Amino acid sequence: MASGCMADAREEAVGTFVTMKTFLKAAPLALALGSALGVDGAAAAAAAAEKTTPLPRLETRDGRHSLIVDGEPFVMLAGQVNNSSNYAEPLKTAWPVLDAMHANTVEVPIAWEQVEPAEGQYNFAFLQELLDQARAHDKRVVLLWFGTWKNTSPAYTPAWVKLDNGRFPRMKDSQGKDHVVLSAHSANTMAADRRAFVKVMEYLRDHDRQNTVIMVQPENETGSYTVPRDFSAEGNRLFAQAIPASLAGRLGKSGTWEQVFGKQAPRAFNTWYVASYVNAVAEAGKAVKPLPMYVNASLAGPSNVPDPTGVASGGPQWDVLDIWKAAAPSIDFAAPDIYDRVSANIVQYLDKYARPDNALMVPEIGNAKEFARFFWPTIGRGGIGFSPFGTDDTGYYNYPLGAKAFDKETLAAFALPYAAVGSIMRDWARIAATRPTWGAAKPDDGTDQATTLGAWKITASWGQWQFGMKDWTWIKAEPAAWSNEPVGGLAVAQLSDTEYLVMGDHVRVTFSAANGRSDGTIVSVEEGTFKDGKWAMTRVWNGDQTDYGFNLIDRPQVLKVTTGFHSQRQH
Ligand code: DGJ
């Protein structure tokens, strides 16, 4: 009877708003606990019941994806802490950094070795510490499960896994020698990883009713470098078989791995088995608490067909997403870890992961200043989150992937777009769920970027002062201080046939009527914000502020542009 009650309260807690009904159901439980806990305990338990929030989830409508947090669309303005910041003291250094960035979310690892240091003995001290610190600093959390794979390696597995290759076998290379990476074909390893992961999810179910943790990443950068598949006896046996029916159905092809995938067969094969393994872990975790779950990819280049021995074979690179989709239905989406500094490559990655069947989220991007501008094209493509890597103050910098130092100036480059979108975060998320959006970053060659939304062409140009034109000869001007800097980006949402929301930094935005029409006019440009979901104007931009485009430079400003066409009717 009592356990039935607990189960009821838990179901309510995980899935729904706290309505009066829920509260009344939870209250007796709190009061019952109260007799054991004393009056303060009862009050605390009742307060905990009150804090219950709806379970975060992903919603997809007409190919657009939204992350729903506390019942409403949400954009993750995130930062990821360094790998070894999964302890109480280093984690404390992250909060001032995240606050200065205007971040609302932090991505933090939790390691299998710290959760289950001895087999069957679990320690959630850090997880509770993380929940406490995040709540105290008003941040949501994305939890990164560093288990069987961390950048492919088993470095974060407990010693009892690392040291027992008999029970937890490594992959074999083509010569039959052990590779460092654990085999995806081992039922033992999968069961052990899954059991620990399930314990983590149980802890969240029981200690995070308010859903401080909004999303979970099972494993980190899966796959294996240099050895494209496991050449063990079991690996060879499976490799000789026909590809699984569900994959064959999805691809419309059947046969052995080699018949279907040719030179990419070892990688396709490993992808299927790695994805199936991660799916089993995620599925079991979701059965306990069904939070959104995603996987991250170590990228192999945006346009080449990767050399199976030169990439993390098995990981969710863009060209094997269909294999991941077929093998891992419990994974909500795959996401790119971006450290490539070539602007055209970054844009390609965004395009490849923004699919009607795959929500775009950038769970890692270098924390060097030049990466910040790609926040804009990410949200412009409907991205649900963005997260530079290395956002704590432990003194560790992953240059040349990211910044040489995450100093004030570097941090400010991320803080500016986060402040702008953060000021209307829920409104942007709500609008992006249903209306057309676009975004761009200054490309490496500094060329203008443009799109057509409705009846208007919108052009972004870079590196100009707010006043005047670059090609004026009647007055001399120095180039803008940021003209040669890799900064600048914008995001636009079309609110209605005539209205557009515009945000950005270090950008000049111009509107011109599309389709060669010459009767278009800007009716008004309002700077403002949203109050209770409704636009609230603070001032009208006119005169110098609009004569040379709308110049959004170094302030978090939000503009609503209203357009129109002159009537030709004679009165
Ligand atoms: C990608 C990984 O996912 C991160 O954990 C980290 O190792 C970075 N690479 C490099 O700093």
Side-chain angles (χ1 to χ4, degrees), residues 455-487:
W456 290 83
K457 180 178 176 193
I458 302 167
T459 304
S461 54
W462 321 99
Q464 299 177 73
W465 294 113
Q466 290 161 285
F467 184 92
M469 306 298 281
K470 254 196 216 165
D471 53 6
W472 273 355
T473 51
W474 65 272
I475 188 167
K476 282 201 169 32
E478 294 168 15
W482 57 93
S483 59
N484 288 320
E485 296 268 313
V487 295

Side-chain angles (χ1 to χ4, degrees), residues 83-152:
N83 290 165
S84 310
S85 298
N86 55 331
Y87 292 85
E89 291 310 311
L91 186 64
K92 286 179 188 162
T93 74
W95 310 111
V97 176
L98 294 160
D99 284 341
M101 275 172 69
H102 300 282
N104 58 23
T105 302
V106 62
E107 298 178 357
V108 181
I110 184 158
W112 186 1
E113 66 179 355
Q114 76 187 135
V115 163
E116 195 183 5
E119 188 169 5
Q121 290 174 26
Y122 299 96
N123 182 336
F124 294 106
F126 174 67
L127 186 49
Q128 187 57 53
E129 179 75 29
L130 170 60
L131 294 175
D132 292 343
Q133 288 193 26
R135 288 169 189 162
H137 293 277
D138 197 21
K139 301 282 180 276
R140 304 312 270 262
V141 173
V142 173
L143 198 63
L144 316 174
W145 172 241
F146 284 7
T148 302
W149 292 276
K150 159 55 175 95
N151 302 12
T152 76

